[in-house]
Amino acid sequence: MSRKITVGAAQLGPIARTESRRQVVARMIDLMREAKSRGCHYVAFPELALTTFFPRWYTENQAEIDAWFETEMPGPETLPLFEEARKLGIGFYLGYAELAQEDGVTHHYNTSILVDPTGTIVGKYRKVHLPGHREHEPWRAFQHLEKRYFERGNLGFGAWRAQAAAEKGIFGMALCNDRRWPETYRVLGLQGVEMAFIGYNTPIHYPPVPEHDHLQGFHNHLVMQAGAYQNGMWIVGIAKAGKEEDCDLLGQSCIIAPTGEMVAMCSTVEDELVTSVCDLDRCRELKDNVFNFGLHREPETYRLIVDTKGPVEPA
Amino acid sequence: MSRKITVGAAQLGPIARTESRRQVVARMIDLMREAKSRGCHYVAFPELALTTFFPRWYTENQAEIDAWFETEMPGPETLPLFEEARKLGIGFYLGYAELAQEDGVTHHYNTSILVDPTGTIVGKYRKVHLPGHREHEPWRAFQHLEKRYFERGNLGFGAWRAQAAAEKGIFGMALCNDRRWPETYRVLGLQGVEMAFIGYNTPIHYPPVPEHDHLQGFHNHLVMQAGAYQNGMWIVGIAKAGKEEDCDLLGQSCIIAPTGEMVAMCSTVEDELVTSVCDLDRCRELKDNVFNFGLHREPETYRLIVDTKGPVEPA
């Protein structure tokens, strides 16, 4: 049975601070319909896809912060996206800010969900690697306060079997900064993930080391291509792109084959869909050979990866 | 004090089966002298640099196998390399097949050493990720019997402080297939390694998946560039290159900056030296910021990396 699925990376251009979720969802529905018309089984949207990238602003007003979060999924403003997906029979990946009540306590997560082509939420991921800083740093041209506004995800890196084309595939999720960390891909790969969705909001300007700004696009692709190859999985990277409230966000959303080859890439910084036919069985070319984990990995030599957080230098 | 060191990647062209170690050492001394004349503090040679890549042939004759191994380092044939290095005041990295007596038992390792500019062996590494297969597989155009002829290295991935330019640097080593595994770089990075030497013998033809042959060069660079960037370290990759006994070996030896940028690359498949001035302090641009491990790593979520060898798929 064929395990070829067609996937779309639905890049979003900038979202203004004043833009409502209804307006953004309308843009996403347009991309979803285009994806369906181009044969997609799944369409993937960026990280924090429903609003502007609010961690660029510092505030101590918790109500102002919470206004960027979703208290239910779907909620009244996102329900049309789910309804459209169900009508079209297309699955999707969506990133959003999640305000969760757990054991009577309020939590803030940078979250993504995987929705299968029947409209069912089959997986939820909460971002593990929160970048940036906790306190206001006025010297920066803009803030990156993910460590302030979010808690570290408490669900680990999951993997889910979900309907793909004729058969199910194994899907994983990650978000933005997670993609720079090889551990992310490896924990997914060790669960047999065949396709990972990774949404991102990446300012081209990195205030601590601005001399690396021109390398943002290179680094974005480098880490995803290496992660795809080293784990024999498809990777769909989806940007929020373009000049958003005076902050330039990297585009270059892409679909990467298990060989590490880029097979589709956005070339604008606007709403744009790129698609690719992805044969999940091609993962086996890597997973059964050069990256046959059961044959070649040597976990006894990897202990430092979990035994320490920071570096332990030789005497 | 300056922590800029000049390093040379001394690629070797093919070594014939009939070529003696003395002949090969003479080639290496030529490259070492050229390195010194170009200001190098260290020069790096390939994996199994003293002989042809013998794991391409199957034999059950243990004496025939052992003849490819060194029983002492330096031995009579390699001593001139050490003497020349000491005379020139240049350090080096060298890969060779090691026949070791440990607790009265004979062991076979695929080994490398780091020799500092005073001629002292300061570090030894034994290859962890042995590729290939254990049994004769006649369907292959050539064998890749590393799993037969070598034992897995028993020293883990070490890191050593060694004299660099004005100050010491932290060096690490790996060999060939190790470079495809992100765990290799991470275990080095977690020990603060600022420069890793990685020698390789990489046939361009990969018998199990020949349709990937044209990607060998891409994969070679992809994994080393990602490893350099994700750990903020310089990487020196050194090939045995060219048509060796009817087997085409990949060249493209290179020096990669902590940004992941390739700053030097060989463009022949012969004996060739490329050099670069490497500022070890530039590692801090990564290690103190985007890859500040102590601030951003989340080891609790990485447990699968050591808890399983092969994949554990979802139900």
Side-chain angles (χ1 to χ4, degrees):
Chain A
M1 286 239 278
S2 171
R3 300 188 70 238
K4 286 184 185 174
I5 70 170
T6 304
V7 168
Q11 176 174 287
L12 289 175
I15 299 175
R17 185 167 188 160
T18 55
E19 203 163 344
S20 73
R21 287 167 174 77
R22 286 192 192 285
Q23 290 173 296
V24 179
V25 166
R27 288 164 58 182
M28 295 202 289
I29 287 175
D30 282 347
L31 287 160
M32 185 179 270
R33 287 178 180 154
E34 182 185 348
K36 181 65 184 181
S37 76
R38 290 166 63 181
C40 289
H41 300 87
Y42 278 87
V43 60
F45 298 105
E47 178 198 41
L48 299 174
L50 298 168
T51 68
T52 197
F53 186 72
F54 61 89
R56 74 171 63 95
W57 295 299
Y58 178 80
T59 176
E60 296 176 2
N61 180 339
Q62 191 62 43
E64 189 185 330
I65 298 163
D66 286 354
W68 301 112
F69 283 71
E70 313 305 310
T71 54
E72 50 183 339
M73 185 57 63
E77 293 146 319
T78 45
L79 186 61
L81 189 66
F82 284 73
E83 289 177 336
E84 187 70 19
R86 195 172 298 122
K87 194 174 81 183
L88 298 172
I90 188 170
F92 67 94
Y93 159 91
L94 171 71
Y96 63 98
E98 178 191 14
L99 203 152
Q101 297 294 332
E102 295 179 318
D103 300 326
V105 180
T106 303
H107 296 276
H108 296 76
Y109 299 112
N110 188 341
T111 295
S112 66
I113 49 171
L114 180 66
V115 180
D116 79 5
T118 72
T120 308
I121 296 176
V122 293
K124 177 183 277 192
Y125 168 72
R126 290 167 171 165
K127 187 172 179 177
V128 165
H129 296 98
L130 297 170
H133 49 107
R134 279 186 189 80
E135 302 307 324
H136 189 220
E137 298 187 0
W139 60 271
R140 292 174 184 256
F142 50 83
Q143 305 294 299
H144 201 117
L145 290 159
E146 288 193 60
K147 282 202 194 290
R148 182 181 191 86
Y149 297 148
F150 299 107
E151 292 158 76
R152 193 191 73 188
N154 60 348
L155 302 174
F157 293 98
W160 298 273
R161 283 190 196 272
Q163 197 63 43
E167 292 189 9
K168 289 194 172 185
I170 305 179
F171 294 88
M173 294 186 270
L175 285 163
C176 197
N177 182 44
D178 287 323
R179 75 195 189 286
R180 302 190 194 272
W181 300 84
E183 292 92 343
T184 299
Y185 306 98
R186 186 59 101 223
V187 174
L188 295 177
L190 283 167
Q191 295 173 86
V193 165
E194 297 171 304
M195 177 174 285
F197 296 108
I198 309 179
Y200 58 90
N201 284 261
T202 299
I204 290 171
H205 176 52
Y206 179 60
V209 192
E211 60 268 35
H212 293 186
D213 286 0
H214 68 289
L215 300 173
Q216 284 290 0
F218 166 56
H219 289 156
N220 176 49
H221 289 156
L222 176 65
V223 292
M224 290 195 286
Q225 291 182 283
Y229 169 61
Q230 291 172 324
N231 295 279
M233 62 172 71
W234 293 88
I235 289 182
V236 184
I238 320 98
K240 173 111 74 57
K243 190 176 275 300
E244 188 180 86
E245 301 290 349
D246 285 335
C247 179
D248 274 306
L249 295 173
L250 183 70
Q252 300 192 333
S253 301
C254 57
I255 302 174
I256 297 166
T259 53
E261 293 168 286
M262 196 169 311
V263 296
M265 187 182 87
C266 288
S267 57
T268 74
V269 287
E270 302 167 2
D271 291 8
E272 181 181 354
L273 180 79
V274 291
T275 70
S276 181
V277 177
C278 306
D279 185 348
L280 298 182
D281 281 338
R282 289 210 54 199
C283 300
R284 304 259 49 105
E285 295 167 17
L286 288 300
K287 290 182 193 287
D288 290 345
N289 293 291
V290 62
F291 296 117
N292 182 327
F293 290 168
L295 198 58
H296 297 306
R297 290 184 80 246
E298 302 292 356
E300 310 94 286
T301 64
Y302 308 154
R303 293 229 45 103
L304 209 53
I305 292 173
V306 299
D307 285 351
T308 183
K309 182 175 167 81
V312 184
E313 297 184 354
Chain B
M1 286 238 276
S2 171
R3 300 187 72 237
K4 286 185 184 173
I5 69 170
T6 305
V7 168
Q11 176 173 287
L12 290 175
I15 299 175
R17 185 167 189 159
T18 56
E19 203 163 344
S20 72
R21 287 166 174 79
R22 286 192 191 282
Q23 290 172 295
V24 178
V25 166
R27 287 164 58 181
M28 295 203 288
I29 286 175
D30 283 347
L31 288 160
M32 185 179 271
R33 288 178 180 153
E34 181 185 348
K36 181 65 185 180
S37 76
R38 289 166 63 182
C40 288
H41 300 88
Y42 278 86
V43 59
F45 298 106
E47 177 198 39
L48 299 174
L50 299 168
T51 68
T52 197
F53 187 73
F54 61 88
R56 73 170 65 94
W57 296 300
Y58 178 80
T59 176
E60 295 176 2
N61 180 339
Q62 192 61 43
E64 188 185 332
I65 298 163
D66 287 353
W68 301 112
F69 283 71
E70 313 303 311
T71 54
E72 49 183 340
M73 185 55 64
E77 293 146 318
T78 44
L79 186 61
L81 190 66
F82 284 73
E83 289 177 336
E84 186 71 17
R86 195 172 299 122
K87 193 174 81 182
L88 297 172
I90 188 170
F92 66 94
Y93 160 92
L94 171 71
Y96 64 98
E98 178 192 15
L99 203 153
Q101 297 294 333
E102 294 178 321
D103 300 327
V105 180
T106 303
H107 296 277
H108 296 75
Y109 298 112
N110 188 340
T111 295
S112 66
I113 49 171
L114 180 66
V115 180
D116 78 6
T118 71
T120 307
I121 296 175
V122 293
K124 177 183 276 192
Y125 168 72
R126 290 166 172 166
K127 187 171 178 178
V128 165
H129 296 99
L130 297 170
H133 49 106
R134 278 186 190 82
E135 302 307 324
H136 190 219
E137 298 188 0
W139 61 269
R140 292 174 183 255
F142 50 84
Q143 306 294 298
H144 200 117
L145 290 159
E146 288 193 60
K147 282 201 194 291
R148 182 181 191 85
Y149 296 147
F150 299 108
E151 292 158 76
R152 193 192 74 190
N154 60 349
L155 303 174
F157 293 98
W160 298 272
R161 284 191 195 272
Q163 198 63 42
E167 293 190 8
K168 289 195 171 184
I170 305 179
F171 294 88
M173 294 186 270
L175 285 163
C176 197
N177 182 44
D178 288 322
R179 76 195 188 285
R180 301 189 194 273
W181 300 84
E183 292 91 343
T184 298
Y185 306 98
R186 187 57 101 223
V187 174
L188 295 177
L190 282 168
Q191 296 174 86
V193 165
E194 297 171 304
M195 177 174 285
F197 297 108
I198 310 179
Y200 58 90
N201 283 261
T202 299
I204 290 171
H205 175 53
Y206 180 61
V209 192
E211 61 269 36
H212 293 186
D213 286 359
H214 69 290
L215 300 174
Q216 284 290 359
F218 166 56
H219 288 156
N220 176 49
H221 289 157
L222 176 65
V223 293
M224 291 195 286
Q225 291 181 283
Y229 169 61
Q230 290 172 323
N231 296 278
M233 62 173 70
W234 293 88
I235 290 181
V236 184
I238 321 97
K240 175 110 76 56
K243 190 176 273 302
E244 188 181 85
E245 301 289 349
D246 285 338
C247 179
D248 274 306
L249 296 173
L250 183 69
Q252 300 192 335
S253 301
C254 56
I255 302 174
I256 297 166
T259 53
E261 294 169 285
M262 196 168 311
V263 295
M265 187 183 88
C266 288
S267 59
T268 74
V269 287
E270 302 166 4
D271 290 8
E272 180 181 354
L273 180 78
V274 291
T275 70
S276 181
V277 177
C278 305
D279 185 349
L280 298 182
D281 281 337
R282 289 209 56 199
C283 299
R284 304 260 49 106
E285 296 167 16
L286 288 300
K287 290 182 193 287
D288 290 344
N289 294 291
V290 61
F291 296 116
N292 182 327
F293 289 169
L295 198 58
H296 297 307
R297 291 184 79 245
E298 302 291 356
E300 310 94 285
T301 64
Y302 308 153
R303 292 228 47 102
L304 209 53
I305 292 172
V306 298
D307 285 352
T308 183
K309 181 176 167 83
V312 184
E313 297 183 355

